[in-house]
Amino acid sequence: MSYTNFQIGEKFPLPIRQQGEGGLFQVDVNGAMFILQLAKSDIIAIEAFRTGEMELALCEEDDILFLLYRIPGIFKEGWGDAPLSFGSLAAEQRPAEKSLADGRLHLCLVDARLSILLAQREATMPAPFAAQLRRHVREAAETPLSPASFAARVQAVWQRMSPAAMREKAAAVWEIPLALKGAPLH
């Protein structure tokens, strides 16, 4: 399934493993995707996601990779985080080396209540960001943590560190610039 064939205003076509507000970071056989679910959104939030500046970062703690995100226009300040897990993926859905070969991250804004795709964009990861993601995926996908072990480790990290503290320790940072209307993000 191609992430670029999703239709704005239609039901989000993939199953979302965690319902509710917040960010989800998924890497599977189709590539890398960041899904931001919001219960309340307006045209300003939709446009901020679709064309606005974003800052993303990767931080690895206790063998968990966290995608950290800051999106002005949606969040007034601060950072959010989305841990990456492979434990609930079926073997045929787990990422392979070719899953990340194109170096793109698909970004989707979804209405958390109705599961409707509100906005999407795609951007090519800078080399250090892509290399960090590929390294983690290669190591973690071979021996994924069980869902219970993953949850316990994530909770332990959250008790020790805020997303802002993780951002300070990030191994890779990516500033996605403002996208001109109609211009592709590459």
Side-chain angles (χ1 to χ4, degrees):
M1 171 176 283
S2 171
Y3 291 143
T4 59
N5 292 331
F6 293 0
Q7 297 296 314
I8 303 296
E10 298 289 324
K11 186 152 179 70
F12 190 70
L14 297 175
I16 297 178
R17 289 180 265 149
Q18 293 175 312
Q19 298 297 317
E21 280 203 308
L24 300 170
F25 186 34
Q26 298 181 179
V27 178
D28 61 22
V29 69
N30 296 308
M33 177 180 276
F34 170 64
I35 303 166
L36 181 60
Q37 297 180 100
L38 296 178
K40 293 182 180 181
S41 60
D42 56 21
I43 191 68
I44 293 170
I46 292 169
E47 284 303 303
F49 190 89
R50 193 176 73 75
T51 63
E53 295 176 2
M54 293 184 191
E55 188 173 353
L56 303 177
L58 294 174
C59 179
E60 194 167 7
E61 286 292 319
D62 294 346
D63 296 325
I64 306 285
L65 188 67
F66 290 85
L67 175 72
L68 307 165
Y69 54 92
R70 186 182 64 76
I71 308 171
I74 295 180
F75 305 109
K76 290 186 176 149
E77 55 186 72
W79 288 84
D81 66 87
L84 177 62
S85 168
F86 303 105
S88 62
L89 288 178
E92 64 274 5
Q93 287 298 311
R94 288 203 182 119
E97 195 67 34
K98 66 181 180 177
S99 302
L100 297 170
D102 68 1
R104 290 183 292 178
L105 179 65
H106 305 275
L107 303 117
C108 297
L109 179 64
V110 176
D111 181 296
R113 296 166 294 143
L114 303 172
S115 293
I116 301 294
L117 180 62
L118 300 172
Q120 68 179 359
R121 75 196 277 189
E122 179 180 284
T124 301
M125 294 179 262
F129 194 95
Q132 173 76 11
L133 180 57
R134 276 195 293 277
R135 184 198 57 75
H136 180 83
V137 166
R138 187 173 43 253
E139 292 171 4
E142 291 174 3
T143 54
L145 295 171
S146 70
S149 180
F150 174 80
R153 287 187 188 192
V154 167
Q155 288 299 320
V157 171
W158 283 342
Q159 287 176 355
R160 287 193 330 266
M161 302 176 77
S162 68
M166 284 190 266
R167 165 56 185 90
E168 292 301 315
K169 292 182 66 177
V173 177
W174 176 16
E175 293 182 13
I176 300 175
L178 179 69
L180 298 176
K181 195 168 193 144
L185 289 170
H186 295 288

